[in-house]
C-alpha cells in the first residue's frame, strides 16, 4: 500500500482467482448498429460536433451534456429481396448545451440534429434518411460557469470535477474479451464488406464455461441483399465458419459459434430486417445502456454505470475518469512487467480540479511468482503522469481518437 | 330560378353591386414559403404521395386525411452575408391513413415523412434539410370502408360524401384578384430567379380603395444573398418598381406598391432571414389557414373555411367541392356570355354519392344589359357535366394539376 | 359615401339581395367539443392565462401569440355502457410568448400547460385527464418590443398594429344564423344537462333552401350514459323533437332536423364515443379552422381567415379587428333604425396605432323603404367611438367576456 | 465444483480478498426522486399496470417491454419561500406492448400515461402535475407469441427466455452498502417527514477508504419549505448530524458526512429547487442508468448493465434473472452458515425455458476458517428450488413486492 502525498494515489495488491481461472466468464458486445450503440454513437457525435463548434466560435469548450437520448423503434415489413420501413425510427436528442456565450450564439440544436443525421448516414448506410428516420430535439439550455471554461490553448486552468463520481478500468483483456472484441472488429472490417447482407446490429455474447468458449451471435440480416431462406441459411453457415476461425486464432480453448439461434427456418421466422438494425422494429435504445468505454460489457469485472458517450469531455467525471482509468490500466499492463490483472478506480470530489482526484486506486493481481509491491512505484508513476495530462483525454475525444462504447 | 330534377341544380340571378363597383376590396395571397402555405403544401404533397402509393400497391385510392399538420417556428440568427438557423423548424405531420389493406402494408408514415422532406427540398431550397428541419409524424391509422373504395380504373362506383359540408367558388377574378395572383407568379417565376435574395415567404395584401390599388408586400429576404443594408434597400426599390410595372399591365387604376413597411433601416431592423421564410423564427403555420383553393384570400367573396390541402381527393367534400365549384365557376365565366360574376355553392349530404349533391347552387350577376335567365340552361349544363365527371378532379389532384392553395 | 377626415371611416350603401331573400343559405357551427373548437378554446385559454400572469407580474400585457396548436386524435374503443380511450388525444401547444421581461421570469410553458388542462377539465369533463390526454408544449420565446407594451392602467399609448391585416363583421344575424346559434346554446345549456349522453362535440349544419330550413346535426354520444342501441335511437328522437321545437320558435319557415344521418342502426354503426368528442378517434383539430368570432361559419357572408383565438388581445389585428368589427356591426344594428344588413371591414397598416385603421369600411343594406344615407352619420359615430375605445376589447377578452369562436 | 445434471448449476469456491478487506470501496444510491430513479420507477409502474390489466382482461400476462423512457429536464426558477417551474419536465414513454389479443383491445397507451402520472403523484408529491409535467407516449405495438403466454393460474408452461442474457446478484451487503441503503431509507421514512424541505432527489455516494467511510450526499432542497439561506444551512447541519448518527449504528469505522458540498453560501449558489428533484432543471434521466435491482450501484461487485425496470416480469431475462440471482444470493447468505460473500450468475439461452438456465453459477467466498465445499449442496439446493419457482418472482413483481431499483 503506497500513498502519494501529492495526488491521493493508492496502489494495493489483489489476492484473488484470476479471471482466466474462474469457471464462468461472460463478455458481451453490442455492435455499432445495435439500438443502444446507435444511441451512444449519436450522443457522442453531438458532443464532438459541439466541441468543434465551441472551439471554433469561442475558442473554448463550453458546457454541454448530451449523454441522454432515446432511440424509439419504428415498424418495418422486411421481405427477402427488399422490404420497407413502415414507421420511421424516432430519435430524441436531449441533454443541454450552452447556446449563448459572451454574445455569441451557438446553434446547438441545429448542430445536434446535423451531427445525429450525419452519424446515422455514416454508420447505418442502409437507412434511408429521407424516409425512415425522425430526428427530434429537446436539448435544453445549459449555462457555462466561467470558472470551468476550458480553453484548449495553453494556460487554462485544469477543470473542476462536475460531480462526485468515479471511473473504473481494467487491463489486460482476458481471452474471451479479446475474442469478442476481435470478432466484432472482424465482422465490421472484413465480413460485412464481403457480405453486405450482415447488418450493423450484431450482438455477440461470449460465454467461457471452463475451457469452452461459446459465442452466441445475433445478427440482423439486410433483406435487400438476401434472395431467400436458402441464402439466409448459407450466410449463417459462412459466419459460423469464418468467425470460428478468427476466434480460434486467439485461443486454444474449444470454440463454439452460434448465429441467430432463435431462427425457425421452417416458418421462415428469421432475423431478417430492412435496414440491418432491430431499431427498425421493436428494439429501443438508450445512451449508456450498452458497451462500457472499453467496448465491452463484462459482468465479471468492476464496471461503472455512467454513460461516457455524450458527456462533455472537459470536466465530466463519468466520461473523463472512465476513459482515463481504462487508459491507465492499459498503459500499466503494457509497460509494467508481471501484471496478471490491474483495476483502476478514480473517484472525484465535486468542485476539485480533475487532476487531483479524491482517490486514485489501483489494484494489482500479480502473475504467479511476481511480486506486486515491486510494481507499485512504476504504476504510481504512470497514474501520476496520466493525471497530469487529463487534457490529452479531452483532445483525443474531440478528435474522435477515443471510443466511448 | 331553374330546378334540375335529376341533380338538384339551382341557378338564380343576383342583384347586387359588382365587386368592381364596391368601394373597398381586399385580396391577400400568402406565397409558397409562408408558414401556412408550407403547411398546406406539405399536407397536399403527402396526400398525393399516398394516392400514388395506394394506386400502385392496391389499385385503388384508399382512405386518408392529412389535412392537418403544424409548422412550429424555429429560431434563427440572420446576418447580412449569411447567418444561421439556431433551432430547427419543427413540422408535425398528423391526420390518418390506411396502413393495412387486404393484407398489403402501406408504409404511410415513411411515405409522409419522405413526401414532406422532398416537398421542402423543392419548395424552400434555402433550407438545409440536414440541420434546420425536424419532420415528426403522428399520423394515425384510418380504416378504409369497402363501400368507399375508389378504383381509378373504369367501373368503380362514384364515391359517397364523407361529410355534410360544402364548397364555394367564384369567377372571374376581379382586377385586384388578378393583380395579386399575377404579381405573386411574377415574383416566383421571374424576380426570384434574378434576385435570389427574395425569399419564398412573400405575403401580398392588395387593397383597392376606390380606384387606388395598394399592394403591401412583406418579403423575407435571404441573408446569404445580401451584403448589407444598402443592398437590402436597393432590392426593395427594385421590387417596388418592377412589381408596380407588372401590376399596371392589368389595370388603369392607380397602383401603389410598398415593400416591408415595418422596416427601420436606421436600426437595421429589417425583414432579414437565413432561409427566406419566417418559419425559421417566430411564425408558425397550419394547414387551411392560408389561401383558398383559388390561391387567394378574398373576404369580399364567399369563402369556405375548409382546408382543401391534404384531404383525400376521392370523397372528401371539403376538398372535392371547393375545387369543383371553383372549376365550374371558371368554366361558366369562360364559356357563357354576359357573366359579370358567378358564385357556385355545392352542398353534400353525408353518405350520398358525390355526383348528386344535396344542392348545387349558382348565383349569377349579369353584366349590365345582359339577361341572367338566358344563361341559366347553359350554366346548368356546365354544372351537370362537371358533376358527372368528378373523377376528373381526383385525377387532376393526384397528378398535381390542380393547386389547393 | 362619407369620409371621416380624422379616422379614415368610409360608409357606403349596398344594393344587393338581402340574405333572407337569397335562395340558398348555409350556416354551420362546431360545438364546444368539436376538435377545432377545442383547439380554439385551448389557444384562447392560454392567451388569457398569459395575460393575467403578465398583468400580475409585470403590470402590462406582454407580447405572445398562441393562435396555433394542434389536436391530434387518439384511438378509442367505445361500447354501450362504457368503453375506453385506447390512445390518448395529443395536444400540441405552439406559438411564442415573452418568457423574460425586465428580469422577471414568466413561466409561460407551465402556464400554457396548466391553462390547457384546466380548460379541458371544464369543457370536456368526460375526458379522464389522467389517462386520455397528452398535453405537449413547444411554445417558443417571443420578445416584447418596448414600444408595444400595453399597460392596462391609464396613460399607456394605443398599441400599434402588428400586421397589415383586416377584420370583418356583420349584423344582424339571419334567421338561420339565429337558429343555429340558438340550437347550439340550447343543447349546451339545457339538453345536455338533462341528457348527459349528448357529447360536447355537436356540429350543426344549417341549410335554408328557400323557405325550408334543414338542420343536420352530428352529435357524438357518450357511451357510458347509453345502455344500448335502443336508448341511442331514443335520444336521437328526443333531440329531433326538442331541437325542432326550439328552432320553430325563431321562424315560421318549415324546419327539418336530422341527427347523425350517417348511422346504420342495423350494424350498430353509430356515432358512439367514449368521451363525447370525435377527437378521441380520428378527427384532428386546429386553431382557426372552426367558427369565426361570432360563433358561426357563414359562407354567404364575408369572412376573415384569421384565427382570433390565441392571438394577443392587445395589438394583433387578426383578433382585435375581427372582434371589433363584429361588435361595431352589432351595435349599429341595435342602435340605428332601418338597417337590413351591415358589414364592417377594418384594415390595419403595420406599425400604425390600432385606433387609426388604414380604412374602416361600413356597407349598409337598408331595409326596404329606408334611406341608407340618413344612417351614415350615426354609423360613422358608432365606429369612431369603438375605435376610440379599443382597450375595452382587450379587457373584455382577458376577462373572458368576448368569445372568439 | 459441483455439477447438477438436471439444471446446469455450478458452484465454486472463490479465493479473493473480501470486500471489507479491500482498501477502497465505492457504493452509490440514487434516491427515489433522482431523474434516473424516476425513469426507472415510471417504467416499472407501467409494466405493473399493464400486467394487472392483462391479467384482468385476458387472464394472462402478455408481452410488453417498457424498459426505456426518458426524463427530459425542465427549467425552473427556485426561490427561497417558493419559486416556480418555468418549463415542464417532459417524460417520454417508450417501449412496446400488446394492444390487441384475441379480439380484446387493451388500452396500453392510456394505461401507461395513467400509471406514469399516478406514480409521479405518489412519489414526487411536490410536483404540480397540472402544470409542471408533460407525459408523452410513443409506445409501439408488440405482438404476443402464443408460445410464450404465461397464465398465472395453474397449468401454464414455464416461459421461454426472450434473449441470451444474464443476471447477477450478491450477498450479504458490506457495511458500506448497508449504510448507504440504511441512510437512504432513513431519509425517506423519517427525515423527510420531519423536514419536508429535503427533496426526493438525494444521491448518496459512499466511499470507504480503509476504515473511514465518507458519505457525500447531494440533496435537492424544496424552496417552499425553506425561508432563506440560514434555514438552508441549518437543515444541512441537521442532516449531517442525524445521518451520521444513523450510519454509526451500523459500523465502528470512522464516518464522515458531507451534504451538498458544491454549495457556495456566500453567493447563495446552493442546491435549491422548486420540486425537490433536479429533473426540474438540467438533469435528464433514463431507465436503467441508476441503481441495480438491489437498490445500489456497486462498482466493486459484478453488475449487470440490464435495466430491470419496465421489462416484462414473465420471460425477460434482464429482469427475471437479475431479481432471481439477488434473491438466491440473499437466501443463501441467510440460510447457509459460513458465507463471507456469495455471487450468483444466471445465464439464459434464448428460447429455452427460463427455469433451465444455460448456466447457474455460484461463487462462494467462505468466512475465514469455513470450508466452502461443505456449503455446496445446500447452495445448490437453494438455487434449484428458486429456479423451480420462477413464477414467484413474476407474482412478487406484479404485486410490487420486489423493487427493481
Amino acid at each position: 500500500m503506497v500513498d502519494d502525498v501529492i495526488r491521493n494515489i493508492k496502489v494495493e495488491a489483489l489476492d484473488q482467482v484470476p479471471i482466466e481461472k474462474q469457471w464462468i466468464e461472460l463478455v458481451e458486445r453490442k455492435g455499432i448498429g445495435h439500438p443502444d450503440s446507435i444511441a451512444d454513437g449519436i450522443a457522442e457525435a453531438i458532443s464532438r460536433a459541439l466541441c468543434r463548434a465551441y472551439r471554433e466560435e469561442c475558442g473554448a469548450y463550453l458546457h454541454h451534456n448530451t449523454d441522454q437520448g432515446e432511440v424509439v423503434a419504428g415498424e418495418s415489413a422486411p421481405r427477402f429481396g427488399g422490404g420497407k420501413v413502415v414507421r420511421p425510427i424516432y430519435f430524441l436528442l436531449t441533454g443541454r448545451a450552452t447556446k449563448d456565450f459572451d454574445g455569441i450564439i451557438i446553434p446547438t440544436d441545429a448542430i445536434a440534429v446535423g451531427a445525429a443525421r450525419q452519424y446515422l448516414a455514416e454508420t447505418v448506410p442502409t437507412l434511408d434518411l429521407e424516409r425512415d428516420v425522425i430526428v427530434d430535439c429537446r436539448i435544453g439550455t445549459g449555462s457555462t460557469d466561467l470558472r470551468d471554461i476550458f480553453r484548449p490553448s495553453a494556460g487554462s486552468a485544469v477543470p473542476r470535477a462536475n460531480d462526485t463520481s468515479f471511473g473504473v478500468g481494467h487491463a489486460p483483456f482476458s481471452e474471451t474479451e479479446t475474442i469478442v472484441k476481435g470478432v466484432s472488429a472482424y465482422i465490421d472490417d472484413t465480413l460485412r464488406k464481403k457480405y453486405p447482407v450482415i447488418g450493423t446490429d450484431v450482438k455477440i455474447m461470449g460465454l467461457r464455461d471452463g475451457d469452452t468458449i461459446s459465442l452466441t451471435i445475433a445478427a440482423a440480416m439486410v433483406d435487400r441483399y438476401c434472395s431467400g431462406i436458402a441464402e439466409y441459411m448459407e450466410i449463417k453457415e459462412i459466419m459460423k465458419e469464418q468467425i470460428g476461425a478468427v476466434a480460434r486464432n486467439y485461443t486454444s480453448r474449444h470454440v463454439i459459434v452460434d448465429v441467430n439461434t432463435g431462427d425457425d427456418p421452417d416458418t421462415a421466422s428469421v432475423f431478417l430486417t430492412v435496414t440491418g438494425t432491430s431499431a427498425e422494429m421493436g428494439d429501443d435504445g438508450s445512451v449508456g445502456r450498452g458497451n462500457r468505454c472499453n467496448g465491452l460489457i463484462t459482468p465479471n469485472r468492476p464496471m461503472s454505470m455512467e454513460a461516457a458517450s455524450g458527456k462533455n469531455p472537459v470536466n465530466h467525471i463519468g466520461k473523463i475518469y472512465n476513459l482515463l482509468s481504462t487508459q491507465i490500466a492499459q498503459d500499466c499492463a503494457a509497460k509494467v512487467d508481471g501484471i496478471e490483472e490491474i483495476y483502476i478506480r478514480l473517484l472525484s470530489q465535486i468542485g476539485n480540479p480533475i487532476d487531483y482526484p479524491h482517490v486514485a486506486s489501483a489494484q494489482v493481481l500479480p502473475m504467479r511468482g511476481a511480486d506486486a509491491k515491486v510494481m507499485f512505484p512504476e504504476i504510481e508513476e504512470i497514474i501520476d503522469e496520466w493525471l497530469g495530462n487529463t487534457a490529452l483525454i479531452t483532445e483525443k475525444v474531440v478528435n474522435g481518437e477515443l471510443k466511448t462504447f
Side-chain angles (χ1 to χ4, degrees), chain A residues 215-238:
Chain A
L215 301 172
T216 305
I217 293 173
M221 302 296 184
V222 181
D223 60 6
R224 76 192 79 163
Y225 300 122
C226 193
S227 61
I229 189 74
E231 194 178 347
Y232 179 95
M233 298 309 287
E234 199 183 309
I235 187 68
K236 287 194 8 176
E237 274 314 301
I238 290 168

PDB file of all heavy atoms in Angstrom, chain A residues 215-238:
ATOM      1  N   LEU A 215     -19.724 -18.506 -28.488  1.00  0.00           N
ATOM      2  CA  LEU A 215     -20.116 -17.177 -28.967  1.00  0.00           C
ATOM      3  C   LEU A 215     -21.522 -17.273 -29.539  1.00  0.00           C
ATOM      4  O   LEU A 215     -21.751 -17.989 -30.514  1.00  0.00           O
ATOM      5  CB  LEU A 215     -19.154 -16.693 -30.056  1.00  0.00           C
ATOM      6  CG  LEU A 215     -17.687 -16.580 -29.646  1.00  0.00           C
ATOM      7  CD1 LEU A 215     -16.812 -16.273 -30.866  1.00  0.00           C
ATOM      8  CD2 LEU A 215     -17.505 -15.508 -28.576  1.00  0.00           C
ATOM      9  N   THR A 216     -22.454 -16.608 -28.888  1.00  0.00           N
ATOM     10  CA  THR A 216     -23.823 -16.582 -29.402  1.00  0.00           C
ATOM     11  C   THR A 216     -24.016 -15.249 -30.085  1.00  0.00           C
ATOM     12  O   THR A 216     -23.967 -14.205 -29.444  1.00  0.00           O
ATOM     13  CB  THR A 216     -24.825 -16.758 -28.246  1.00  0.00           C
ATOM     14  OG1 THR A 216     -24.499 -17.963 -27.540  1.00  0.00           O
ATOM     15  CG2 THR A 216     -26.243 -16.851 -28.775  1.00  0.00           C
ATOM     16  N   ILE A 217     -24.234 -15.306 -31.367  1.00  0.00           N
ATOM     17  CA  ILE A 217     -24.262 -14.075 -32.170  1.00  0.00           C
ATOM     18  C   ILE A 217     -25.668 -13.836 -32.692  1.00  0.00           C
ATOM     19  O   ILE A 217     -26.290 -14.737 -33.262  1.00  0.00           O
ATOM     20  CB  ILE A 217     -23.258 -14.191 -33.333  1.00  0.00           C
ATOM     21  CG1 ILE A 217     -21.844 -14.226 -32.747  1.00  0.00           C
ATOM     22  CG2 ILE A 217     -23.425 -13.041 -34.317  1.00  0.00           C
ATOM     23  CD1 ILE A 217     -20.769 -14.505 -33.742  1.00  0.00           C
ATOM     24  N   ALA A 218     -26.163 -12.641 -32.443  1.00  0.00           N
ATOM     25  CA  ALA A 218     -27.451 -12.238 -33.018  1.00  0.00           C
ATOM     26  C   ALA A 218     -27.151 -11.176 -34.063  1.00  0.00           C
ATOM     27  O   ALA A 218     -26.705 -10.079 -33.720  1.00  0.00           O
ATOM     28  CB  ALA A 218     -28.375 -11.692 -31.934  1.00  0.00           C
ATOM     29  N   ALA A 219     -27.379 -11.506 -35.307  1.00  0.00           N
ATOM     30  CA  ALA A 219     -27.007 -10.604 -36.408  1.00  0.00           C
ATOM     31  C   ALA A 219     -28.241 -10.303 -37.246  1.00  0.00           C
ATOM     32  O   ALA A 219     -28.839 -11.208 -37.832  1.00  0.00           O
ATOM     33  CB  ALA A 219     -25.932 -11.243 -37.278  1.00  0.00           C
ATOM     34  N   ALA A 220     -28.590  -9.023 -37.315  1.00  0.00           N
ATOM     35  CA  ALA A 220     -29.716  -8.603 -38.151  1.00  0.00           C
ATOM     36  C   ALA A 220     -29.299  -8.664 -39.616  1.00  0.00           C
ATOM     37  O   ALA A 220     -28.310  -8.041 -39.998  1.00  0.00           O
ATOM     38  CB  ALA A 220     -30.136  -7.188 -37.783  1.00  0.00           C
ATOM     39  N   MET A 221     -30.031  -9.427 -40.423  1.00  0.00           N
ATOM     40  CA  MET A 221     -29.684  -9.539 -41.836  1.00  0.00           C
ATOM     41  C   MET A 221     -30.460  -8.492 -42.651  1.00  0.00           C
ATOM     42  O   MET A 221     -31.608  -8.181 -42.338  1.00  0.00           O
ATOM     43  CB  MET A 221     -30.012 -10.934 -42.351  1.00  0.00           C
ATOM     44  CG  MET A 221     -29.303 -12.040 -41.598  1.00  0.00           C
ATOM     45  SD  MET A 221     -27.490 -11.979 -41.793  1.00  0.00           S
ATOM     46  CE  MET A 221     -27.036 -13.482 -40.901  1.00  0.00           C
ATOM     47  N   VAL A 222     -29.833  -7.987 -43.695  1.00  0.00           N
ATOM     48  CA  VAL A 222     -30.431  -6.944 -44.530  1.00  0.00           C
ATOM     49  C   VAL A 222     -31.155  -7.598 -45.704  1.00  0.00           C
ATOM     50  O   VAL A 222     -30.531  -8.269 -46.528  1.00  0.00           O
ATOM     51  CB  VAL A 222     -29.349  -5.974 -45.043  1.00  0.00           C
ATOM     52  CG1 VAL A 222     -29.972  -4.862 -45.891  1.00  0.00           C
ATOM     53  CG2 VAL A 222     -28.562  -5.392 -43.886  1.00  0.00           C
ATOM     54  N   ASP A 223     -32.462  -7.374 -45.768  1.00  0.00           N
ATOM     55  CA  ASP A 223     -33.270  -8.166 -46.710  1.00  0.00           C
ATOM     56  C   ASP A 223     -32.939  -7.927 -48.176  1.00  0.00           C
ATOM     57  O   ASP A 223     -32.985  -8.850 -48.985  1.00  0.00           O
ATOM     58  CB  ASP A 223     -34.767  -7.975 -46.423  1.00  0.00           C
ATOM     59  CG  ASP A 223     -35.251  -6.546 -46.536  1.00  0.00           C
ATOM     60  OD1 ASP A 223     -34.462  -5.685 -46.954  1.00  0.00           O
ATOM     61  OD2 ASP A 223     -36.429  -6.302 -46.214  1.00  0.00           O
ATOM     62  N   ARG A 224     -32.558  -6.707 -48.496  1.00  0.00           N
ATOM     63  CA  ARG A 224     -32.337  -6.417 -49.927  1.00  0.00           C
ATOM     64  C   ARG A 224     -31.150  -7.203 -50.496  1.00  0.00           C
ATOM     65  O   ARG A 224     -31.023  -7.361 -51.693  1.00  0.00           O
ATOM     66  CB  ARG A 224     -32.147  -4.914 -50.143  1.00  0.00           C
ATOM     67  CG  ARG A 224     -30.811  -4.363 -49.736  1.00  0.00           C
ATOM     68  CD  ARG A 224     -30.761  -2.845 -49.699  1.00  0.00           C
ATOM     69  NE  ARG A 224     -31.373  -2.328 -48.491  1.00  0.00           N
ATOM     70  CZ  ARG A 224     -31.194  -1.086 -48.016  1.00  0.00           C
ATOM     71  NH1 ARG A 224     -30.453  -0.221 -48.698  1.00  0.00           N
ATOM     72  NH2 ARG A 224     -31.760  -0.691 -46.902  1.00  0.00           N
ATOM     73  N   TYR A 225     -30.280  -7.669 -49.610  1.00  0.00           N
ATOM     74  CA  TYR A 225     -29.112  -8.425 -50.059  1.00  0.00           C
ATOM     75  C   TYR A 225     -29.296  -9.930 -49.882  1.00  0.00           C
ATOM     76  O   TYR A 225     -28.328 -10.681 -49.887  1.00  0.00           O
ATOM     77  CB  TYR A 225     -27.864  -7.983 -49.291  1.00  0.00           C
ATOM     78  CG  TYR A 225     -27.533  -6.520 -49.468  1.00  0.00           C
ATOM     79  CD1 TYR A 225     -27.446  -5.667 -48.380  1.00  0.00           C
ATOM     80  CD2 TYR A 225     -27.300  -5.988 -50.746  1.00  0.00           C
ATOM     81  CE1 TYR A 225     -27.145  -4.318 -48.549  1.00  0.00           C
ATOM     82  CE2 TYR A 225     -27.007  -4.636 -50.911  1.00  0.00           C
ATOM     83  CZ  TYR A 225     -26.933  -3.815 -49.813  1.00  0.00           C
ATOM     84  OH  TYR A 225     -26.640  -2.483 -49.983  1.00  0.00           O
ATOM     85  N   CYS A 226     -30.520 -10.349 -49.699  1.00  0.00           N
ATOM     86  CA  CYS A 226     -30.746 -11.759 -49.404  1.00  0.00           C
ATOM     87  C   CYS A 226     -31.949 -12.236 -50.203  1.00  0.00           C
ATOM     88  O   CYS A 226     -33.072 -11.767 -50.000  1.00  0.00           O
ATOM     89  CB  CYS A 226     -30.997 -11.921 -47.903  1.00  0.00           C
ATOM     90  SG  CYS A 226     -30.932 -13.634 -47.363  1.00  0.00           S
ATOM     91  N   SER A 227     -31.702 -13.160 -51.105  1.00  0.00           N
ATOM     92  CA  SER A 227     -32.757 -13.555 -52.051  1.00  0.00           C
ATOM     93  C   SER A 227     -33.802 -14.468 -51.424  1.00  0.00           C
ATOM     94  O   SER A 227     -34.934 -14.516 -51.884  1.00  0.00           O
ATOM     95  CB  SER A 227     -32.135 -14.250 -53.253  1.00  0.00           C
ATOM     96  OG  SER A 227     -31.459 -15.400 -52.803  1.00  0.00           O
ATOM     97  N   GLY A 228     -33.416 -15.206 -50.379  1.00  0.00           N
ATOM     98  CA  GLY A 228     -34.398 -16.126 -49.817  1.00  0.00           C
ATOM     99  C   GLY A 228     -33.826 -16.891 -48.643  1.00  0.00           C
ATOM    100  O   GLY A 228     -32.698 -16.636 -48.200  1.00  0.00           O
ATOM    101  N   ILE A 229     -34.617 -17.803 -48.158  1.00  0.00           N
ATOM    102  CA  ILE A 229     -34.227 -18.517 -46.947  1.00  0.00           C
ATOM    103  C   ILE A 229     -32.950 -19.326 -47.147  1.00  0.00           C
ATOM    104  O   ILE A 229     -32.124 -19.445 -46.224  1.00  0.00           O
ATOM    105  CB  ILE A 229     -35.407 -19.396 -46.431  1.00  0.00           C
ATOM    106  CG1 ILE A 229     -35.102 -19.989 -45.056  1.00  0.00           C
ATOM    107  CG2 ILE A 229     -35.737 -20.506 -47.428  1.00  0.00           C
ATOM    108  CD1 ILE A 229     -35.180 -18.968 -43.948  1.00  0.00           C
ATOM    109  N   ALA A 230     -32.762 -19.831 -48.358  1.00  0.00           N
ATOM    110  CA  ALA A 230     -31.567 -20.639 -48.603  1.00  0.00           C
ATOM    111  C   ALA A 230     -30.311 -19.776 -48.454  1.00  0.00           C
ATOM    112  O   ALA A 230     -29.350 -20.158 -47.765  1.00  0.00           O
ATOM    113  CB  ALA A 230     -31.627 -21.243 -50.002  1.00  0.00           C
ATOM    114  N   GLU A 231     -30.347 -18.615 -49.079  1.00  0.00           N
ATOM    115  CA  GLU A 231     -29.188 -17.729 -48.977  1.00  0.00           C
ATOM    116  C   GLU A 231     -28.983 -17.283 -47.532  1.00  0.00           C
ATOM    117  O   GLU A 231     -27.848 -17.145 -47.063  1.00  0.00           O
ATOM    118  CB  GLU A 231     -29.394 -16.512 -49.892  1.00  0.00           C
ATOM    119  CG  GLU A 231     -28.105 -15.727 -50.114  1.00  0.00           C
ATOM    120  CD  GLU A 231     -28.290 -14.536 -51.068  1.00  0.00           C
ATOM    121  OE1 GLU A 231     -29.344 -14.463 -51.752  1.00  0.00           O
ATOM    122  OE2 GLU A 231     -27.393 -13.687 -51.109  1.00  0.00           O
ATOM    123  N   TYR A 232     -30.109 -17.078 -46.837  1.00  0.00           N
ATOM    124  CA  TYR A 232     -30.020 -16.687 -45.429  1.00  0.00           C
ATOM    125  C   TYR A 232     -29.296 -17.749 -44.616  1.00  0.00           C
ATOM    126  O   TYR A 232     -28.396 -17.452 -43.815  1.00  0.00           O
ATOM    127  CB  TYR A 232     -31.429 -16.443 -44.881  1.00  0.00           C
ATOM    128  CG  TYR A 232     -31.486 -16.047 -43.427  1.00  0.00           C
ATOM    129  CD1 TYR A 232     -31.538 -14.708 -43.043  1.00  0.00           C
ATOM    130  CD2 TYR A 232     -31.482 -17.006 -42.423  1.00  0.00           C
ATOM    131  CE1 TYR A 232     -31.590 -14.349 -41.709  1.00  0.00           C
ATOM    132  CE2 TYR A 232     -31.523 -16.655 -41.081  1.00  0.00           C
ATOM    133  CZ  TYR A 232     -31.588 -15.337 -40.725  1.00  0.00           C
ATOM    134  OH  TYR A 232     -31.631 -14.979 -39.408  1.00  0.00           O
ATOM    135  N   MET A 233     -29.685 -19.015 -44.828  1.00  0.00           N
ATOM    136  CA  MET A 233     -29.059 -20.090 -44.063  1.00  0.00           C
ATOM    137  C   MET A 233     -27.584 -20.217 -44.447  1.00  0.00           C
ATOM    138  O   MET A 233     -26.731 -20.512 -43.592  1.00  0.00           O
ATOM    139  CB  MET A 233     -29.788 -21.418 -44.318  1.00  0.00           C
ATOM    140  CG  MET A 233     -31.254 -21.439 -43.893  1.00  0.00           C
ATOM    141  SD  MET A 233     -31.553 -20.873 -42.176  1.00  0.00           S
ATOM    142  CE  MET A 233     -30.902 -22.286 -41.253  1.00  0.00           C
ATOM    143  N   GLU A 234     -27.308 -19.967 -45.695  1.00  0.00           N
ATOM    144  CA  GLU A 234     -25.938 -20.066 -46.182  1.00  0.00           C
ATOM    145  C   GLU A 234     -25.041 -19.024 -45.496  1.00  0.00           C
ATOM    146  O   GLU A 234     -23.935 -19.332 -45.056  1.00  0.00           O
ATOM    147  CB  GLU A 234     -25.960 -19.824 -47.691  1.00  0.00           C
ATOM    148  CG  GLU A 234     -24.729 -20.337 -48.421  1.00  0.00           C
ATOM    149  CD  GLU A 234     -24.832 -19.969 -49.907  1.00  0.00           C
ATOM    150  OE1 GLU A 234     -25.891 -20.262 -50.524  1.00  0.00           O
ATOM    151  OE2 GLU A 234     -23.878 -19.355 -50.426  1.00  0.00           O
ATOM    152  N   ILE A 235     -25.546 -17.791 -45.410  1.00  0.00           N
ATOM    153  CA  ILE A 235     -24.717 -16.750 -44.811  1.00  0.00           C
ATOM    154  C   ILE A 235     -24.477 -17.044 -43.331  1.00  0.00           C
ATOM    155  O   ILE A 235     -23.401 -16.779 -42.785  1.00  0.00           O
ATOM    156  CB  ILE A 235     -25.319 -15.338 -45.017  1.00  0.00           C
ATOM    157  CG1 ILE A 235     -24.353 -14.249 -44.524  1.00  0.00           C
ATOM    158  CG2 ILE A 235     -26.638 -15.162 -44.305  1.00  0.00           C
ATOM    159  CD1 ILE A 235     -23.117 -14.135 -45.365  1.00  0.00           C
ATOM    160  N   LYS A 236     -25.462 -17.648 -42.689  1.00  0.00           N
ATOM    161  CA  LYS A 236     -25.260 -18.048 -41.296  1.00  0.00           C
ATOM    162  C   LYS A 236     -24.123 -19.070 -41.191  1.00  0.00           C
ATOM    163  O   LYS A 236     -23.278 -18.995 -40.282  1.00  0.00           O
ATOM    164  CB  LYS A 236     -26.547 -18.620 -40.694  1.00  0.00           C
ATOM    165  CG  LYS A 236     -27.575 -17.560 -40.410  1.00  0.00           C
ATOM    166  CD  LYS A 236     -28.762 -17.950 -39.521  1.00  0.00           C
ATOM    167  CE  LYS A 236     -28.766 -19.273 -38.838  1.00  0.00           C
ATOM    168  NZ  LYS A 236     -29.946 -19.419 -37.945  1.00  0.00           N
ATOM    169  N   GLU A 237     -24.082 -20.014 -42.111  1.00  0.00           N
ATOM    170  CA  GLU A 237     -23.009 -21.014 -42.098  1.00  0.00           C
ATOM    171  C   GLU A 237     -21.650 -20.358 -42.314  1.00  0.00           C
ATOM    172  O   GLU A 237     -20.674 -20.651 -41.623  1.00  0.00           O
ATOM    173  CB  GLU A 237     -23.250 -22.074 -43.196  1.00  0.00           C
ATOM    174  CG  GLU A 237     -24.161 -23.214 -42.761  1.00  0.00           C
ATOM    175  CD  GLU A 237     -23.795 -23.751 -41.388  1.00  0.00           C
ATOM    176  OE1 GLU A 237     -22.650 -24.204 -41.192  1.00  0.00           O
ATOM    177  OE2 GLU A 237     -24.665 -23.699 -40.474  1.00  0.00           O
ATOM    178  N   ILE A 238     -21.626 -19.431 -43.277  1.00  0.00           N
ATOM    179  CA  ILE A 238     -20.377 -18.709 -43.546  1.00  0.00           C
ATOM    180  C   ILE A 238     -19.903 -17.980 -42.300  1.00  0.00           C
ATOM    181  O   ILE A 238     -18.722 -18.023 -41.932  1.00  0.00           O
ATOM    182  CB  ILE A 238     -20.585 -17.709 -44.716  1.00  0.00           C
ATOM    183  CG1 ILE A 238     -20.759 -18.479 -46.022  1.00  0.00           C
ATOM    184  CG2 ILE A 238     -19.432 -16.713 -44.807  1.00  0.00           C
ATOM    185  CD1 ILE A 238     -21.248 -17.635 -47.182  1.00  0.00           C
TER     186      ILE A 238
END
